[in-house]
Amino acid sequence: MINGVRVVWGNWQRTIDRYAVIIYQAINGGGGPSPALALAAAGGVPHQRAATPPGGAPPPVADDGFLWAVPKYRRSVERRMMRRYGAESWPNGRKLIKPKNNLIFCLKCGSHYLPGMLCMTCYNRVKSETEELQKAVAQQQGLTPPDREVAIVYRGEREAIDDQQAKAVRLVELPKERPRWFSKNLMQRTTTPVATETAPVKPSDLG
Amino acid sequence: MTSQLGRLIPQLRIPVQPKYRPLRNVEGSYGRLKNLRSTVTALVRDERVEMQYIRLDEARGYAERLIHDAILHGDRDTHTMDMANFWLTEKQLIHKLFKVLAPRYAEHRSSFTSLYKLPPAYRENDKGAPRGVLELKGNPFPPLRDGSTDRKHLLHNVLLDEARRQYRHKKYQQLAAEARAALADSSAEPPRRPSGD
């Protein structure tokens, strides 16, 4: 049914286009000036039709009416807005920014962040300190092959490490105080020697 | 038998995608490999790197495999050394792999690296890829996410603790009253001996 309507509509369009071409040709005298006008202009001497119309308009396509890809119909305001901003029911959602309702608060600093990700406030603080430490480690290391663990030593902490511990690790000393949020207990594992003697306990009373 | 065999095969202790990530590069697959190599090298050198998340996720498996090979086979193994030579573009880091990282992770039973996601950056006209942080465990830097989140003082935990305490107090009083009553009963009449049949 719809296809039939489309075919009829297409035929009707083609007919209109064809008639438009015919009318255009009748007005312009078949691509040139009309014979009467031509006679008047050339002083009564008839001549062949000109190749291009004097008005400068391009010659119409002779065989069939053909429309290039141009907007045929006005796009309604509703449709225009829909294309611009999207709709809730679209497969990829709206184009507008949606509010996030799943934010959680960092227990350390109180700023909000997305679940499953890092809190950006805490991360920026850690990042600046980490970059500073990485720079200090790289500067001390140079191109020599690293063969020991690195232990970061802030100002005033060197005295707490004895020589045996200092030999087991590579100390990178920083000329500044340890940040208060960077707990020293976290450093305990790297500066103390690992317990080498361990005795596995065998299970007993298994029946 | 199978457990012993399993020890010989390097196992990844991280979730691996069934298909590799499409890391596009003008040099094609060789450029992709070059990117991954530079990522693994940066990870071994700096112990904490921030990059595109997919690139880190892709490079993570190679770094884990490299460390696991170093632990299993040591620096006498030709193939392991070849792999270390390939993946670490800065050659002094080969020493670090065998002398620092392999002893550090020899007794580890979980993954050697941690991968974190960073939230999207809300910039104007932002079209950047999601970023992440990859780090070697046991690095000397301040922790990205310390486990010492104290939830004891959250309001609902305080209230629950108080409710639990009151419930326990009530229960103890009840038990004490029952015991007192039982004691009074037993003192009133002498205890009966159970019959022998």
Side-chain angles (χ1 to χ4, degrees), chain B residues 12-15 36 39-40 43 53-66 111-115 134-135 137:
Chain B
L12 290 183
R13 289 133 177 193
I14 55 169
L36 292 174
T39 311
V40 171
L43 175 69
Y53 182 80
I54 51 166
R55 187 167 157 180
L56 290 178
D57 197 14
E58 199 68 16
R60 190 185 181 193
Y62 294 107
E64 293 261 345
R65 174 76 194 264
L66 192 61
S111 61
F112 311 130
T113 57
S114 329
L115 182 59
L134 182 64
E135 64 171 6
K137 285 181 181 172

Side-chain angles (χ1 to χ4, degrees), chain A residues 28-140:
Chain A
N28 284 342
S34 68
L37 286 175
L39 277 174
V45 182
H47 67 284
Q48 295 293 316
R49 269 195 272 171
T52 55
V61 180
D63 53 357
D64 200 355
F66 186 80
L67 287 178
W68 292 102
V70 290
K72 276 181 166 181
Y73 305 106
R74 179 180 170 275
R75 194 176 280 155
S76 71
V77 175
E78 186 193 359
R79 188 152 280 281
R80 199 195 307 155
M81 288 297 136
M82 183 83 91
R83 287 168 65 93
R84 191 173 294 167
Y85 299 118
E88 291 278 6
S89 58
W90 279 21
N92 292 330
R94 290 161 54 180
K95 293 180 181 178
L96 289 174
I97 297 170
K98 273 184 273 186
K100 288 189 186 305
N101 297 325
N102 57 345
L103 291 179
I104 48 179
F105 289 91
C106 180
L107 290 173
K108 220 170 178 182
C109 69
S111 55
H112 55 258
Y113 65 104
L114 285 164
M117 298 186 180
L118 289 178
C119 164
M120 213 50 194
T121 316
C122 294
Y123 175 66
N124 281 334
R125 192 174 57 183
V126 168
K127 183 185 176 187
S128 61
E129 186 67 23
T130 303
E131 280 172 356
E132 207 174 323
L133 296 181
Q134 281 173 342
K135 209 172 161 187
V137 171
Q139 199 176 3
Q140 207 227 35

